[in-house]
Amino acid sequence: MIFFCKPVLLTVDQEPRARRQETRAGGRGTAARAPADMSSTDENPIPRLDACCGCIQLKMGVLVLCILQMIASVFMMLLIGSYILFGSAPGDTLPLMGGAYTMFALIVVLLLTAAEFGFALYAFSDIRKAEAQGIRYYYMFKVVSLGLSLLVFMLTSNWTSPEILNLFLSTTISLYCIWCIWSLHEALMLGGEAAAKAGFTPEEASQGSPLWTSANAKKTDAEAGDSKDAGYQSSAI
């Protein structure tokens, strides 16, 4: 009787004990996961845009900005190139230069314009693949380009009213474009709902994308959970 009851008592006692262990492990897992979840949802002190111009999906808006940047860069390179080579431009004016008419200023702006074309093309390609690197380099270059443009303006401008107005308008537009590009980069890095609002989907992401990595990790975790459940069921049987 004792030998038969003892295994029964142990078997009965194992279930609550196993449940307590699972509860403790679950509690520890929740406590361990809580900081990670909190860190993943922490927002940057700079507010992030959810749409471009308030009505356009952020991904689409930045793609349009990249296309417009490439078109404007080609136009500016042709305009400055004709001014450098022939000493004149159509209408003998450079309306987009903000008063920078010296040869040094023209060459600096020409190089910046060519670099902007390359970075815009790089960002356009990486946005289509849902990769963050090209977007990051693009907004970083835009910040550097804006700083250099302001420096060139201060060194070459006569500070007339039209030049100051041109400076204010171009700087405001550049800052807003940088804000949009940075917001898209942050949305892609955050993933989840932020990336979905921006217009990204895991299906269109390449293997180097954080969206692809997170989607694959969730799929692997789900498969591992299913196999573990199946193992438990088979062992119980």
Side-chain angles (χ1 to χ4, degrees):
M1 187 68 178
I2 295 174
F3 292 103
F4 284 101
C5 291
K6 198 171 184 181
V8 174
L9 290 174
L10 286 173
T11 307
V12 171
D13 190 49
Q14 279 175 353
E15 186 177 356
R17 199 175 291 174
R19 286 181 182 175
R20 285 197 299 270
Q21 289 176 353
E22 288 176 2
T23 305
R24 288 171 186 168
R28 285 196 299 269
T30 306
R33 284 194 299 268
D37 294 342
M38 289 171 62
S39 63
S40 65
T41 56
D42 281 344
E43 291 291 340
N44 196 291
I46 304 174
R48 179 173 49 83
L49 292 172
D50 289 328
C52 184
C53 300
C55 59
I56 304 174
Q57 202 174 48
L58 197 57
K59 176 188 171 184
M60 182 60 64
V62 177
L63 283 173
V64 172
L65 286 177
C66 290
I67 295 172
L68 293 177
Q69 178 72 74
M70 288 186 282
I71 295 173
S73 297
V74 171
F75 174 73
M76 285 294 292
M77 285 188 289
L78 292 175
L79 194 63
I80 298 172
S82 65
Y83 194 89
I84 293 174
L85 293 176
F86 306 110
S88 63
D92 202 24
T93 59
L94 294 177
L96 301 179
M97 294 302 295
Y101 293 100
T102 65
M103 185 59 66
F104 170 75
L106 291 176
I107 292 175
V108 169
V109 175
L110 178 63
L111 293 176
L112 286 175
T113 304
E116 280 185 341
F117 178 86
F119 279 100
L121 181 61
Y122 185 22
F124 182 87
S125 174
D126 274 10
I127 291 171
R128 298 292 300 273
K129 296 182 289 186
E131 292 185 356
Q133 183 170 333
I135 309 172
R136 183 188 309 116
Y137 288 157
Y138 186 38
Y139 82 73
M140 289 173 64
F141 179 80
K142 292 284 285 182
V143 173
V144 174
S145 175
L146 177 61
L148 290 176
S149 299
L150 292 175
L151 178 62
V152 170
F153 180 88
M154 289 187 291
L155 293 175
T156 59
S157 175
N158 294 322
W159 295 97
T160 60
S161 298
E163 291 175 359
I164 295 173
L165 178 62
N166 186 21
L167 174 67
F168 175 76
L169 293 176
S170 60
T171 303
T172 303
I173 294 172
S174 296
L175 287 174
Y176 184 76
C177 291
I178 292 170
W179 192 15
C180 289
I181 300 165
W182 173 85
S183 298
L184 184 67
H185 173 267
E186 291 298 304
L188 178 57
M189 295 304 296
L190 285 172
E193 185 181 356
K197 281 184 179 180
F200 290 109
T201 59
E203 289 76 14
E204 66 185 359
S206 66
Q207 293 189 5
S209 167
L211 290 182
W212 190 91
T213 305
S214 62
N216 251 9
K218 290 179 181 178
K219 184 179 179 182
T220 305
D221 291 342
E223 291 175 352
D226 292 341
S227 62
K228 187 180 291 186
D229 292 341
Y232 286 152
Q233 291 174 2
S234 62
S235 63
I237 293 171

